[in-house]
Amino acid sequence: MSKKVLAIIAVAVLIIAGAATAIIMTKEDSTPERVMMNDTLDVYGNANGDWTINTDDVTFIEKIIKNNSDDDKSNDIDWKKEYPFADADNNGKIDSADVTQIKALIDGKATYVNMIDGFGNFKHVRCNPTRIAVDQIQLSEFVSIMGEGDKVVCGDFPASILGSSFYFDHKIESYGANGAPDYEKIKSMNVDLYLPFYSSAYEEKVTKLTNTDVVYLGLYTTNTLDLEKTSFIKGILKGGYIFNKEQRAKDYVNWLLDTRDKIKDISDKVAKEDRKNVLITNYVSSYMADSETSNAVSVYADGDTLGQAAILAGAKLAAEGKFSDYGSGKLSYKTDTEWLGQQKIDFMFMHTVRLQGNGKLVEAVPDQGYTVDNWNEFQTKEKAVASLKYVKMAGITVDNTYMLAGDFRNNASSGLLLSAYMVKILYPELCGDFDPYKIHQEYMDWMGHSDYKISEHGTFIDAPYASYYTPKR
């Protein structure tokens, strides 16, 4: 094998091996840069197959080009096969055009980006979209975080209502349910980028919106316990290239990881045998809301953002050891009041969503979120639930019953805000000056709402340490 090929392989091995470590050294300033993802960022231009696109990829491509120009072809490597994302423009060959595209992605001047979406499909996406459609609050918040909120023109039912009243400073048109959107409305809005929340009618959206880049980034799927291994982080980084704001995307990921580490520093102090037993359940369509007609009880597991948030906060989930396939990644279980009455629960949290992605408003769910400054509905429901027979049998009282706004499961912070509140509720003696409201305020800053004071506004969780707290009992 030629020395040139060996040199290139050596560089590749060193770079890719570096992606598995905690930090790498940047060539520009030789300061540590955190590795944000323990996987290959599947964006074309990531020539060396690590977690990001930077000048290392330019160097890598230049070495490939130089090697390909060598007269000795006997030991040539199939670069397209071995390093599929080296072909930045995806034209079937590796040449100077790929260097140009990589530099454009790094400098925030790209006109397009090729990538693999959250479902494994190849996507050619135009950069710097000017008219955007979003599903759900998660995508509304992410676009706001990227500083592109002024480009959003329409959204599904929740996104349009909350976008018009809070997230954005202009009216957002509604295209209805995200699983069955009004395609003619989206077309009439001349949308050039549509960011779906999940898989609902994804292929149909791609097929019917031929002039629109329909891109599932992968933000729905997360692992709050190990963010570096999740498509959530990968989706944020991909979004950074679409908006030509790579550095902002990285800065936001850094904030997420820093927040995760702050919570973990506290919860790691809790011995396994001392973990609080926590039940996370639903309010609607269950015994909690319909005790006269239902005995159904949902139990969230470690595969769901809510369950992961609790585990990160140092909790033991009520599902642990109670269901045979716990730990398999399942989101939740359906059980009944007989099961509930046999448990000993330290804290219960109830997930609620008032504005549904299917286009419905659930009246039974308390009004909530950033646009609501009234705890009365939450407190009334908590008191009613805590008085139920099987809830009391499980040892749950009104003092350890908490309703949760749906934002905690579906927002762009990946459950970290919930975990921040939870760790303070579960282990106040270990938290010191750790303040979930400070964390939440930082999130407001990311979204461009620095003037919104989270310690004074919003209805998310009736936490007893809030600066404006009025005893709820």
Side-chain angles (χ1 to χ4, degrees), residues 358-415:
N358 60 11
K360 297 179 180 179
L361 186 152
V362 184
E363 293 285 355
V365 171
D367 211 354
Q368 56 188 262
Y370 291 108
T371 62
V372 180
D373 295 339
N374 188 340
W375 294 102
N376 292 340
E377 289 187 53
F378 264 39
Q379 294 166 353
T380 299
K381 300 290 188 183
E382 288 167 352
K383 187 174 181 179
V385 171
S387 69
L388 295 174
K389 174 183 175 181
Y390 291 97
V391 171
K392 291 192 293 185
M393 287 175 62
I396 302 169
T397 70
V398 69
D399 290 318
N400 55 18
T401 299
Y402 295 89
M403 299 202 81
L404 305 175
D407 302 59
F408 285 133
R409 186 172 185 256
N410 295 336
N411 71 358
S413 73
S414 178

Side-chain angles (χ1 to χ4, degrees), residues 219-266:
L219 300 186
Y220 179 84
T221 305
T222 185
N223 185 342
T224 307
L225 299 171
D226 196 351
L227 286 171
E228 292 90 342
K229 290 185 178 180
T230 178
S231 67
F232 179 78
I233 294 298
K234 187 182 290 190
I236 292 171
L237 297 175
K238 289 177 181 177
Y241 291 110
I242 292 175
F243 297 119
N244 269 325
K245 292 186 175 179
E246 175 204 22
Q247 191 56 52
R248 182 160 182 84
K250 286 183 176 180
D251 290 344
Y252 175 54
V253 171
N254 260 322
W255 179 80
L256 291 172
L257 296 175
D258 285 344
T259 301
R260 186 272 314 274
D261 292 345
K262 289 176 183 178
I263 298 169
K264 193 172 185 297
D265 285 345
I266 298 171

Side-chain angles (χ1 to χ4, degrees), residues 402-447:
Y402 295 89
M403 299 202 81
L404 305 175
D407 302 59
F408 285 133
R409 186 172 185 256
N410 295 336
N411 71 358
S413 73
S414 178
L416 291 175
L417 293 182
L418 173 58
S419 190
Y421 284 104
M422 272 190 174
V423 74
K424 186 83 170 185
I425 290 172
L426 301 182
Y427 309 106
E429 71 282 1
L430 300 178
C431 288
D433 60 358
F434 177 82
D435 184 4
Y437 286 90
K438 180 181 178 182
I439 300 292
H440 204 157
Q441 188 62 52
E442 290 173 0
Y443 187 64
M444 302 311 301
D445 297 343
W446 275 106
M447 281 202 293

Side-chain angles (χ1 to χ4, degrees), residues 142-211:
F142 176 62
V143 173
S144 296
I145 288 166
M146 296 307 297
E148 300 292 316
D150 60 327
K151 311 289 180 55
V152 177
V153 295
C154 58
D156 66 355
F157 178 62
S160 63
I161 291 179
L162 295 173
S164 299
S165 61
F166 179 74
Y167 291 120
F168 315 118
D169 59 3
H170 58 281
K171 179 176 173 54
I172 306 301
E173 295 291 332
S174 173
Y175 47 73
N178 56 47
D182 183 341
Y183 292 107
E184 295 307 313
K185 169 64 75 69
I186 297 175
K187 291 178 183 177
S188 72
M189 301 296 292
N190 296 316
V191 170
D192 48 11
L193 176 66
Y194 178 11
L195 299 175
F197 179 57
Y198 189 52
S199 60
S200 298
Y202 186 60
E203 293 304 322
E204 180 180 278
K205 292 171 183 176
V206 172
T207 300
K208 291 193 174 183
L209 300 173
T210 55
N211 294 322

Side-chain angles (χ1 to χ4, degrees), residues 267-276 314-316 320 427:
S267 60
D268 278 351
K269 299 174 184 176
V270 183
K272 185 175 181 180
E273 62 272 16
D274 295 331
R275 290 181 300 162
K276 302 295 185 182
K316 174 186 177 183
E320 183 180 339
Y427 309 106

